[in-house]
Amino acid sequence: MQRLSAILLLVLLVYAIPAVTDAVAAADQFSVAFFYADNPPLDELQAFDLVVVDPDAAGSTPAAYSTKLSTLFAYISVGEADPHRRYYTSIKPSWLIGENRAWKSKLVDLANPAWRRFFLDQVVEPLWAAGYRGFFLDTLDSYQLVQDKKRHPALEAGLVEIIRSIKKRHPEARLIMNRGFEVLGRVRDVAFAVAAESLFRNFDPATGSYGEVNEHDRQWLLGKFAEVRQAGLPVIVIDYVAPAERDLARRTAEKIRKAGFIPWVTDKDLASLGVGTVEVLPRKILGLYDGSEGADPIYTNLQRFVVMPLNYLGYQVELVDMRQPLPEGQLAGRYAGVVVWPNSDSSGSKSNLLQWILRQKDLKLPLVFLDRFGVPPQQFAQAMGGTLRVGSATGKGLKVMQQDALMGVEAPVMPSVGQPLALHFPGSEVLLAVGDGRQVASEAVAITPWGGYALEPYVLNELINERERWVINPFDFFRKALRLANSPVPDTTTENGVRLLLSHIDADGFESRVERPGGPLAVTELRERILKKYRIPTTYSVITSTLGDHGLNPQQAPALQAEAREIFALPWIEAGSHTFSHPFYWQNTDVAKQGYTAQYLPIPGYSFQLESEIAGSAAFINQALLPPGKKTRLLQWSGDCAPGGDALAATYRAGLGNINGGDTMITESNRSITAVAPLGVAKNGWFQVFAPNQNENVYTNLWTGPFYGYRRVIETFKLTDSPRRLKPINIYYHTYSVTKEASRRALEDVYDWALAQKPHAIFASEYVNKVLDFNRTVVARSGNGWLIRNNGDLRQLRLPVSAGYPDLAASRGVLGFSDHHDQRYIHLAPGKEAFLVLTDKRPGRSWLAAAAATIDRFEWTSSGMRLAVTAHAEGYLRFGAADGCRLVSNGRPAAVQRDAEQLILPLKTGTYGLELVCK
């Protein structure tokens, strides 16, 4: 028997609605995963119901993993004591009766009542107090290593006593046994499941090789499994396959499942996200950048240009400075691939980049390089199985000799005047080759057996005005080079098939005067002429030092606070903080930049403190400005909108969302997706959410004119909706936008255009939660469909139309779909889990095609559906294939409109109970 130790993750995923109990469950009802490495991928593990961890390992505590869908179990070694355990030094020598030399651990005297008390009090109870409600019991057979076989009966009896005592102390505890076949008959009534290793594939530690289990051993184990099933317990099988052999792992897992058992197939160290009844689709990509590009990753090429296309394809990018130590462990299965954008051929010299790359190549983790390789090209080509003919050609007379359709997407291919890298990798699909017209000098862009690359200058072209343009099509290039699956994409731009609209306002100009004779305060003008006219969900922020929070304008404070209270009293307004002192730059705080002469507003006696800026400002707003039932939801970054990890952490500690930054400025005069920012950026593990687009300050050239310039944001809205929907509509501006006639009228034009699109209006805090849910959404293959789990904030999936229709009968938590361009948007019902099955047939029943409102409740009925919806602004519902249907609203026939087979219900602000009844 191989001993299970170190970090162990065992996960049971229940597909049936009822929770897993100690009763027998069929093998296809839940899935199992084991994971031994430090810092387990907690987001991905949300796909599973039970997650067993080593409680002494970092990054895996019940408090950090609080979720209703997944629960942490604690790994416990029962028959052996590991010298590295925290409690080992408290063990009396007389309790140790032997040694497991293979694992360098000690055998314990299970027959000794003193040891059993110690084990229960010092091992089990602290774990229960820490929040664990289930235990994986390992080394149950280790007593058989005791040479005096006469002691075995007493040791077995002690083992039974320990197992039963855990359940007696904590009746709700779930116990999973690793083997323990000899005592099964005496503890089956308190056990939840039984696990064992190596039914089809194993790992031999003596030879260090993976292999196939011999038939004799397999039949013996199958006999034991039959006894477990007869005892009424599910069987979990853990088999071992090399990490690079993903297809073999899938086939092995399927063989285990077909044999009637719960599969988990992983590497010998149980350190990778393997394959079970469900297989998690990695949604993270490692992005390696050279930190010499700037002090903050937001200034790097990789963050500025690569992350957005990968977000659109459904992936989150984890940025790593390649000058620092690179991630270790089994990354395949946990990450979908790696994108490397070096600054020079020596960018990876400090981190031994080439050796790291070779390890990932061996694990078949796709690798993509942009501009260069971060190591000398000759070394790279030789190590990766290619050739580089140094000095074989010059840049004179270079011509394009081969060009794929994904080249020249925004800027034409212009062969470099420098000496090309004469690269060739066997088995590659060449996307761009340059040469002298007779002989190829360089395969400059290619999809290779290990990933792909695009050499400088065929990634981006920089124009004279410092505006970049893509030469490669980033969407198609990354999809091909990273071998990205055609899987459901969580989408933050849309909900229920309708483009989202959010509006948030930075407080700057709150106390300014409108520029007309006798003009009121800007805040008054904003409230009366904008906010009361356009009654959509809006997040309004204030700078608390300007309102008397130990800061500026103490004489005006009462009047200004009254103005703020009037705005916050409006039902469609939520509160945000624009900080205490409006920092102009958050990290480089000692140097004045961009015309600013100070780090923050000149508040007498104040020195910058994160607590005052974030938690303190929110507390002031909550206590002094908000009506009962409201609280501050967001921190809206000020100044350069480039907080460090410490500032981001402070927002999360304060219970605040955060937004701003990003620099999305695509317009007809800068029509390039390089001007579309990603969802945000992570710093020290904390995520900054970018505003979907920029505010009027940028469209008016830093408020120097033209002051009607914000009207051009409509161009941004259009260009981020076609040919791909990249962003929601975001009306984002400052209070001072109402101080000038031209800027106020431009603002009204923007509102009028946005509302004419009939969007789904939400609060900015809801958008922030959707972005965070994008990062934690887990997508897993499960049988003939896709399992989707998240926090329930993001409810929109997207697939190419060619992928098919949702099978509404076979799916769960799916309430409809609609199409936009070449994408099919799949609408998810309220909840934290959905199961999507696709079919090539259009649904034969009615469905929810679109809803410019929030779905509060949903259920299918035999004749249609029931749902409750809330419209925060004027909206509508549209049902597909509803030509034979009628709609009942709050118990009465609804006044609907019909368009061919579709049924449409206009909505006013409010909550509705609806039932669609079809023939």
Side-chain angles (χ1 to χ4, degrees):
M1 178 188 79
Q2 289 179 337
R3 177 174 175 265
L4 299 182
S5 61
I7 293 183
L8 176 64
L9 295 174
L10 179 145
V11 185
L12 303 173
L13 171 58
V14 179
Y15 292 141
I17 293 176
V20 177
T21 66
D22 287 354
V24 180
D28 60 354
Q29 283 185 305
F30 52 89
S31 65
V32 179
F34 290 81
F35 196 98
Y36 275 32
D38 278 334
N39 300 312
L42 299 183
D43 288 336
E44 288 75 10
L45 291 168
Q46 297 294 328
F48 310 105
D49 289 297
L50 309 181
V51 180
V52 181
V53 298
D54 185 328
D56 290 344
S60 54
T61 64
Y65 196 75
S66 178
T67 170
K68 293 182 179 179
L69 296 177
S70 191
T71 305
L72 285 188
F73 274 41
Y75 168 91
I76 302 177
S77 176
V78 180
E80 299 178 17
D82 188 334
H84 297 96
R85 294 292 173 183
R86 55 173 177 77
Y87 53 81
Y88 185 82
T89 56
S90 300
I91 295 176
K92 294 182 179 180
S94 61
W95 297 343
L96 304 177
I97 58 174
E99 183 177 8
N100 184 337
R101 294 181 180 178
W103 295 98
K104 299 179 181 179
S105 56
K106 304 295 183 180
L107 306 178
V108 296
D109 187 358
L110 298 169
N112 190 321
W115 162 254
R116 296 200 297 267
R117 285 194 299 271
F118 176 88
F119 179 83
L120 294 169
D121 293 341
Q122 301 301 319
V123 179
V124 176
E125 287 306 315
L127 298 175
W128 188 267
Y132 292 100
R133 293 297 177 263
F135 305 100
F136 183 89
L137 306 181
D138 194 21
T139 62
L140 301 183
D141 297 345
S142 295
Y143 70 90
Q144 297 180 30
L145 296 175
V146 175
Q147 294 183 357
D148 185 357
K149 296 187 181 299
K150 294 180 180 179
R151 299 195 62 183
H152 287 189
L155 294 172
E156 280 187 7
L159 176 63
V160 170
E161 179 63 23
I162 283 179
I163 295 172
R164 301 194 70 86
S165 294
I166 296 174
K167 193 71 171 178
K168 183 176 181 180
R169 288 191 179 195
H170 303 292
E172 64 270 42
R174 287 186 282 182
L175 307 179
I176 301 172
M177 299 169 53
N178 182 28
R179 297 172 71 97
F181 300 128
E182 292 76 14
V183 300
L184 178 63
R186 285 172 277 178
V187 297
R188 64 183 183 182
D189 58 318
V190 298
F192 169 70
V194 174
E197 303 159 82
S198 303
L199 179 63
F200 295 105
R201 308 290 304 184
N202 63 8
F203 177 77
D204 186 347
T207 62
S209 61
Y210 293 91
E212 187 172 357
V213 176
N214 66 61
E215 188 62 24
H216 177 271
D217 290 348
R218 181 181 301 116
Q219 291 302 322
W220 180 87
L221 193 56
L222 286 171
K224 294 300 181 182
F225 287 165
E227 296 175 8
V228 176
R229 297 296 293 269
Q230 188 174 4
L233 296 172
V235 174
I236 299 162
V237 173
I238 307 112
D239 271 17
Y240 299 100
V241 169
E245 302 296 329
R246 195 71 171 178
D247 288 339
L248 176 60
R250 292 188 183 107
R251 294 196 300 271
T252 304
E254 181 62 13
K255 289 175 67 174
I256 295 170
R257 191 191 67 80
K258 285 185 175 180
F261 311 123
I262 304 163
W264 183 247
V265 183
T266 185
D267 67 282
K268 65 181 178 63
D269 298 314
L270 291 87
S272 58
L273 205 55
V275 181
T277 305
V278 300
E279 179 184 1
V280 173
L281 177 76
R283 291 191 54 249
K284 292 185 174 70
I285 290 172
L286 276 175
L288 305 189
Y289 69 93
D290 188 330
S292 65
E293 290 184 71
D296 191 289
I298 63 171
Y299 304 117
T300 65
N301 286 336
L302 199 148
Q303 168 66 21
R304 292 171 61 204
F305 304 122
V306 172
V307 178
M308 187 281 292
L310 290 175
N311 286 165
Y312 178 80
L313 295 172
Y315 294 84
Q316 178 189 4
V317 180
E318 290 187 5
L319 298 178
V320 176
D321 186 345
M322 71 181 77
R323 302 175 304 171
Q324 306 299 323
L326 300 175
E328 296 295 338
Q330 300 287 357
L331 305 184
R334 186 168 184 161
Y335 294 94
V338 181
V339 178
V340 186
W341 198 329
N343 205 29
S344 71
D345 290 341
S346 61
S347 291
S349 60
K350 293 183 178 179
S351 59
N352 209 5
L353 176 65
L354 184 56
Q355 282 65 36
W356 186 90
I357 288 169
L358 291 173
R359 289 198 298 273
Q360 309 317 317
K361 176 176 176 284
D362 289 342
L363 293 172
K364 299 183 180 179
L365 187 65
L367 302 161
V368 172
F369 299 84
L370 301 175
D371 279 354
R372 52 191 65 85
F373 303 107
V375 298
Q378 183 71 48
Q379 293 182 18
F380 182 87
Q382 183 177 0
M384 301 292 280
T387 60
L388 175 64
R389 299 186 301 277
V390 180
S392 62
T394 68
K396 295 180 180 180
L398 277 183
K399 299 178 181 179
V400 174
M401 298 186 65
Q402 181 179 343
Q403 180 173 328
D404 189 86
L406 65 71
M407 300 299 302
V409 61
E410 290 184 346
V413 173
M414 295 185 291
S416 172
V417 297
Q419 180 173 317
L421 288 176
L423 276 174
H424 170 71
F425 290 93
S428 295
E429 176 188 356
V430 178
L431 304 181
L432 177 67
V434 296
D436 59 8
R438 296 184 303 275
Q439 182 178 357
V440 171
S442 177
E443 296 173 358
V445 182
I447 305 299
T448 66
W450 39 261
Y453 65 90
L455 298 180
E456 189 179 26
Y458 307 115
V459 180
L460 292 173
N461 273 353
E462 186 171 308
L463 306 182
I464 296 175
N465 59 4
E466 296 184 353
R467 289 178 175 176
E468 296 84 0
R469 296 288 185 270
W470 281 103
V471 180
I472 58 174
N473 182 321
F475 303 101
D476 292 345
F477 177 75
F478 290 133
R479 184 184 287 111
K480 294 183 72 170
L482 291 169
R483 281 68 165 168
L484 300 181
N486 189 16
S487 58
V489 171
D491 191 282
T492 62
T493 70
T494 306
E495 187 166 297
N496 307 321
V498 181
R499 194 180 187 188
L500 294 172
L501 164 65
L502 60 142
S503 177
H504 70 292
I505 306 168
D506 288 346
D508 309 53
F510 184 101
E511 69 280 19
S512 300
R513 290 283 174 179
V514 176
E515 296 177 6
R516 64 173 182 265
L521 289 172
V523 65
T524 307
E525 184 88 342
L526 175 71
R527 182 182 68 242
E528 298 301 321
R529 300 195 64 171
I530 299 295
L531 297 181
K532 288 186 177 180
K533 178 180 179 182
Y534 301 103
R535 300 189 176 198
I536 63 171
T538 301
T539 307
Y540 186 70
S541 69
V542 294
I543 305 167
T544 61
S545 63
T546 66
L547 301 182
D549 179 13
H550 302 90
L552 304 170
N553 308 316
Q555 291 79 21
Q556 294 179 276
L560 296 178
Q561 289 182 24
E563 294 283 351
R565 291 190 195 100
E566 283 200 52
I567 283 185
F568 288 133
L570 299 175
W572 55 93
I573 303 297
E574 75 171 1
S577 168
H578 201 40
T579 75
F580 170 72
S581 72
H582 194 286
F584 300 125
Y585 25 87
W586 285 84
Q587 297 186 62
N588 187 9
T589 58
D590 297 325
V591 180
K593 297 189 296 185
Q594 299 178 3
Y596 295 124
T597 57
Q599 175 193 345
Y600 43 79
L601 295 176
I603 302 166
Y606 176 65
S607 296
F608 180 83
Q609 295 178 346
L610 282 177
E611 182 68 23
S612 299
E613 298 296 338
I614 297 171
S617 65
F620 176 83
I621 296 169
N622 292 339
Q623 296 163 12
L625 305 178
L626 299 187
K630 283 191 176 183
K631 62 180 294 187
T632 308
R633 297 291 181 185
L634 289 182
L635 191 287
Q636 297 175 202
W637 299 110
S638 61
D640 66 357
C641 298
D646 55 348
L648 282 167
T651 66
Y652 285 85
R653 287 197 304 270
L656 298 171
N658 76 93
I659 195 169
N660 284 349
D663 297 332
T664 291
M665 271 293 294
I666 185 172
T667 62
E668 291 293 348
S669 57
N670 185 26
R671 194 167 181 164
S672 169
I673 57 174
T674 61
V676 181
L679 293 174
V681 62
K683 300 176 185 178
N684 298 344
W686 305 101
F687 198 79
Q688 177 185 352
V689 178
F690 289 162
N693 54 256
Q694 281 286 55
N695 55 52
E696 87 288 33
N697 191 49
V698 179
Y699 288 89
T700 59
N701 298 305
L702 303 183
W703 203 237
T704 63
F707 294 107
Y708 55 78
Y710 189 53
R711 191 176 288 115
R712 296 198 67 188
V713 76
I714 296 173
E715 298 173 24
T716 304
F717 296 157
K718 292 178 179 179
L719 292 172
T720 52
D721 192 47
S722 182
R724 301 174 184 86
R725 181 171 289 172
L726 301 174
K727 296 288 181 181
I729 300 170
N730 177 204
I731 303 176
Y732 167 35
Y733 58 98
H734 297 88
T735 304
Y736 58 68
S737 215
V738 299
T739 60
K740 299 179 183 293
E741 183 74 7
S743 56
R744 180 183 55 76
R745 287 190 175 184
L747 185 59
E748 291 171 334
D749 289 345
V750 171
Y751 271 100
D752 291 338
W753 183 92
L755 294 179
Q757 312 311 305
K758 300 185 182 301
H760 178 187
I762 63 172
F763 287 105
S765 63
E766 294 178 278
Y767 172 76
V768 166
N769 289 337
K770 291 180 190 301
V771 171
L772 298 180
D773 225 12
F774 173 91
N775 291 340
R776 60 184 164 236
T777 294
V778 59
V779 178
R781 292 184 181 91
S782 176
N784 64 338
W786 298 94
L787 177 73
I788 314 295
R789 279 188 171 182
N790 59 24
N791 199 49
D793 296 303
L794 188 152
R795 301 182 187 176
Q796 191 74 72
L797 303 177
R798 172 171 45 79
L799 280 162
V801 169
S802 59
Y805 298 94
D807 185 331
L808 298 178
S811 300
R812 295 193 317 274
V814 176
L815 47 80
F817 69 94
S818 61
D819 296 343
H820 182 68
H821 301 311
D822 63 348
Q823 297 293 300
R824 180 153 289 150
Y825 289 78
I826 311 295
H827 320 330
L828 303 185
K832 299 184 177 184
E833 177 181 293
F835 183 67
L836 172 65
V837 178
L838 296 171
T839 176
D840 58 359
K841 296 181 180 179
R842 189 171 181 266
R845 65 176 304 167
S846 59
W847 67 86
L848 184 69
T854 299
I855 308 299
D856 301 316
R857 295 192 307 277
F858 178 89
E859 62 176 322
W860 293 107
T861 66
S862 59
S863 60
M865 67 185 77
R866 294 191 191 95
L867 63 163
V869 305
T870 297
H872 293 296
E874 290 190 2
Y876 65 95
L877 300 178
R878 189 169 72 245
F879 300 90
D883 47 344
C885 304
R886 58 188 175 86
L887 191 65
V888 178
S889 175
N890 297 328
R892 298 180 180 181
V896 300
Q897 303 168 3
R898 295 189 180 273
D899 180 9
E901 66 172 10
Q902 296 196 340
L903 184 151
I904 304 168
L905 175 67
L907 298 175
K908 298 291 185 182
T909 302
T911 299
Y912 300 79
L914 302 166
E915 182 173 5
L916 184 72
V917 181
C918 303
K919 295 178 182 179

